[in-house]
Amino acid sequence: MTPQDPRTAVLADRLAAVKQRITAAARENAEPTLIVVTKFHPAADVRRLRSLGVADIGENRDQEAAAKAVEVSDPALRWHFIGQLQTNKAKSVAAYAHSVHSIDRVSLVKSLGRAMSARQQENGRSDLECFIQVDLSEAYEDSAATGLVGHAGRGGVTPSGIQELADLIAGTGGLSLAGLMAVAPLGVAPEPAFELLASASAALTAGHPHAGGISAGMSHDLEAALAAGATHLRVGSDILGPRPVVM
C-alpha cells in the first residue's frame, strides 16, 4: 500500500475527529451531509479529501470555486456554493454548482433561473438545489435582560420573507427548493438561532414538503445545529486547518 503524504494524513485525522463529533451529536438521527469548506485552500486539498471519501465541497467565492471545479474535474464531487452571490455570477455558478446555500433575494432567483435554463438546454444538467438564507438575529431581540447583546446578523432574509422566495424558487424551471440555510450570529449562544431556524423550516415544509433541508452548523457550533435538526453541516477550519499563508 502506498503511504499517505503528510498532508493527507493530517486531513484524514481531522476528518475522522469531526465525523466522531457528528456521530456523537446525531445519536439515533440520520447523519447529515458533511460539506467540507475548502475556501483559500488549494485544489490539491480537494483531491486529497476526495481520496478520503469526501463527496461534498463548499466554496464561498465564485472565481475560486469555478477554477477548482475545472482543475479537479471530478464528476462525483458535489460543489456547494455557500457565500454571498452576485447576480452577474449566476451563469458561472450554474456551470459547476450542485447547490447554492445563500439565496436571499428575488433578483438572484431570477438570474439563476435564466442561467439554469440555458445550461440545461446546453447539456441537460440536473436542477440546481437552492437553500434560502435566513437572518436569525430576531431570535435575540428580547435578550437584553440576559446580557446577550451586541449580536450581528449574518445575512439573509427575515423569517417573514421566506415564503415569497420559496414560492418563486419552486415555480422556477431549473431550480429545486431544498430548504433553509443560516449562520448563527456571532458572540451569542447559537441555540436560540437554531431553534428559530427549525421553526422556520417546519413552516416552510408545511407548504413545500420536499424542502426539509437545514444547512446549519460549522466547526464551532455543529452540535447545537444537529440538536435543532440540521441536515447539512459546513465545516472548514476543523478539517483543513488555518488558511495557507501566501508568501
Side-chain angles (χ1 to χ4, degrees):
M1 178 181 296
T2 303
Q4 292 180 336
D5 71 273
R7 175 63 172 166
T8 301
V10 168
L11 293 178
D13 288 344
R14 290 174 172 166
L15 180 63
V18 168
K19 287 184 174 180
Q20 287 179 350
R21 289 174 59 194
I22 292 171
T23 299
R27 298 186 178 90
E28 297 180 359
N29 298 326
E31 291 202 3
T33 298
L34 173 59
I35 300 169
V36 181
V37 181
T38 56
K39 63 180 180 180
F40 303 121
H41 293 271
D45 277 347
V46 177
R47 294 194 187 94
R48 292 182 177 103
L49 290 165
R50 187 73 191 103
S51 74
L52 297 171
V54 172
D56 295 273
I57 297 295
E59 289 284 342
N60 72 345
R61 298 191 304 174
D62 172 63
Q63 184 175 0
E64 181 178 353
K68 286 181 185 175
V70 170
E71 186 174 349
V72 176
S73 188
D74 185 339
L77 275 177
R78 292 182 290 267
W79 295 86
H80 301 259
F81 190 85
I82 63 174
Q84 295 302 303
L85 181 60
Q86 297 175 323
T87 55
N88 63 0
K89 298 293 185 180
K91 181 177 180 181
S92 175
V93 167
Y96 64 83
H98 169 78
S99 68
V100 173
H101 290 238
S102 50
I103 306 295
D104 61 357
R105 59 197 186 279
V106 168
S107 60
L108 180 57
V109 176
K110 292 181 177 179
S111 293
L112 286 171
R114 289 191 294 268
M116 284 299 301
S117 176
R119 196 71 184 177
Q120 289 183 327
Q121 289 179 14
E122 179 183 325
N123 61 15
R125 66 150 290 174
S126 60
D127 288 351
L128 179 71
E129 293 191 1
C130 295
F131 291 79
I132 297 169
Q133 184 172 356
V134 184
D135 180 352
L136 300 176
S137 58
E138 71 178 50
Y140 303 91
E141 288 179 351
D142 298 323
S143 63
T146 66
L148 296 180
V149 294
H151 58 79
R154 307 293 293 277
V157 299
T158 62
S160 63
I162 292 172
Q163 193 63 50
E164 178 187 10
L165 284 181
D167 292 343
L168 181 59
I169 293 167
T172 300
L175 306 183
S176 173
L177 179 61
L180 304 178
M181 183 278 262
V183 182
L186 293 170
V188 292
E191 286 81 4
F194 291 147
E195 289 171 6
L196 176 60
L197 183 61
S199 176
S201 176
L204 174 63
T205 55
H208 297 278
H210 301 295
I214 298 178
S215 174
M218 300 186 293
S219 293
H220 62 286
D221 60 11
L222 67 85
E223 286 85 359
L226 287 170
T231 62
H232 295 68
L233 301 173
R234 310 179 306 274
V235 179
S237 59
D238 274 11
I239 295 174
L240 276 298
R243 69 176 65 176
V245 176
V246 179
M247 302 302 292

